[in-house]
Amino acid sequence: MTRAAALALSAIAPLHAAFAQLGQPGPWGLGLQEGASPIKHGIAMFHDGLLLPIISVIVVFVLALLVIVMVKFNAKANPNPTRTAHNTLIEVLWTAIPIVILVVIAIPSFRLLYKQDRAVNPEMTVKVTGRQWYWNYEYPDHGGFQFDSYIVRDAAGNPAGTPRLLEVDNRLVVPVGATVRVLVGGADVMHSFFIPSLGVQIYSVPGRLNETWFQVEKEGIFYGQCNQICGKDHAFMPINIEAVSKEKFQQWVEQAKKKFAADQPVPVAVAAAPVK
Ligand SMILES: [Cu+2]
């Protein structure tokens, strides 16, 4: 790693700690959120370990060229400019080197994208439906109960002790350590299911079922938000993923089955009409 890249990394590393509050933003936050899933670790490695060093080297190189040109080849220092029009070697180099750099970036990038794309041996599936302006969660492997998840806020934007505009009434509860397949659909317009600390971002598109997965590594609440402009309350449809132990998850499932037994999905045509 170059000195510039090492400097850039050392400046960012301590600030990662500012995000330790379970995936919500913190003061002076810079860089990526602290990760809690294998995909997020892959994304952080890809960014901090590969992209940032490459970008840093290119920035320093281009800046050095600019300074050299300004100092050595200004009108005063160099009154008789050369009339060179071609240099085959340089032209081959400035074509070939960027290609090599892009290939070096592309290979791990595609590897990560394909890893994100399909769950390998998922232990359970949840179905997520984006609606104007809330989320609907369904547990097809646990009897098929489903419920809506709305933002909880007071006049100041957040009830005491909860992060601003990120709290919901019903969380998406999952067991810690389990590979959870997520099927994402849309009921009205496009939304996006986005949980930065788990490395999940997938579009919720009407008439289409998208797939992704996550595996939460520690217990806690992981905050996310809709990430596709979807109407007037786009900013007010947060996502809470609560990772609990397998035993607690089973208890929650039993309670949720009773609690949400009467909940029926809102038909798409009704949901598409203006609500509230
Ligand atoms: Cu939205």
Side-chain angles (χ1 to χ4, degrees):
M1 193 186 296
T2 64
R3 216 180 110 91
L7 271 176
L9 270 182
S10 66
I12 280 169
L15 291 162
H16 273 207
F19 284 111
Q21 305 153 351
L22 307 173
Q24 58 173 296
W28 298 99
L30 182 68
L32 302 176
Q33 284 194 2
E34 185 184 310
S37 81
I39 292 289
K40 180 62 181 196
H41 297 318
I43 293 171
M45 275 293 293
F46 179 62
H47 178 268
D48 296 350
L50 183 72
L51 291 187
L52 200 56
I54 290 176
I55 292 166
S56 306
V57 171
I58 292 173
V59 166
V60 171
F61 176 66
V62 172
L63 189 68
L65 286 183
L66 275 173
V67 171
I68 290 169
V69 168
M70 276 155 45
V71 173
K72 267 184 88 174
F73 299 106
N74 65 53
K76 221 189 277 170
N78 189 41
N80 298 313
T82 166
R83 291 176 180 264
T84 311
H86 297 284
N87 185 315
T88 310
L89 178 67
I90 290 179
E91 282 167 32
V92 168
L93 285 180
W94 76 39
T95 306
I97 293 172
I99 291 174
V100 172
I101 293 173
L102 290 179
V103 170
V104 166
I105 292 174
I107 291 170
S109 168
F110 282 120
R111 192 180 290 154
L112 197 56
L113 279 172
Y114 285 117
K115 197 177 168 195
Q116 247 174 345
D117 196 43
R118 287 281 178 273
V120 180
N121 300 323
E123 283 158 63
M124 60 175 278
T125 299
V126 290
K127 199 181 155 210
V128 172
T129 308
R131 288 176 176 268
Q132 284 175 315
W133 289 273
Y134 59 97
W135 295 95
N136 175 275
Y137 301 131
E138 190 180 329
Y139 287 72
D141 298 341
H142 301 88
F145 67 89
Q146 56 87 42
F147 56 88
D148 296 331
S149 181
Y150 278 90
I151 188 169
V152 174
R153 56 173 162 150
D154 60 12
N158 56 309
T162 63
R164 183 177 145 78
L165 300 182
L166 285 177
E167 202 60 40
V168 301
D169 53 358
N170 297 311
R171 294 182 177 134
L172 179 69
V173 180
V174 295
V176 75
T179 300
V180 180
R181 174 166 56 188
V182 188
L183 299 177
V184 184
D188 33 49
V189 299
M190 272 178 78
H191 303 272
S192 174
F193 190 64
F194 177 44
I195 308 109
S197 55
L198 301 182
V200 170
Q201 180 182 15
I202 188 149
Y203 285 114
S204 132
V205 185
R208 195 189 152 126
L209 204 59
N210 285 336
E211 181 180 331
T212 188
W213 65 280
F214 59 76
Q215 184 188 43
V216 191
E217 290 168 346
K218 57 183 175 191
E219 292 185 26
I221 300 160
F222 302 87
Y223 295 98
Q225 287 177 303
C226 179
N227 199 29
Q228 170 71 35
I229 302 276
C230 60
K232 79 172 177 59
D233 281 353
H234 162 65
F236 310 111
M237 45 184 297
I239 298 158
N240 285 187
I241 301 214
E242 185 174 357
V244 297
S245 68
K246 297 223 156 109
E247 301 75 50
K248 271 202 196 142
F249 177 72
Q250 276 312 323
Q251 289 166 10
W252 175 82
V253 165
E254 294 314 315
Q255 287 166 7
K257 272 183 188 167
K258 287 178 205 137
K259 186 176 169 192
F260 302 118
D263 281 27
Q264 289 302 316
V266 182
V268 170
V270 176
V275 234
K276 289 178 191 165

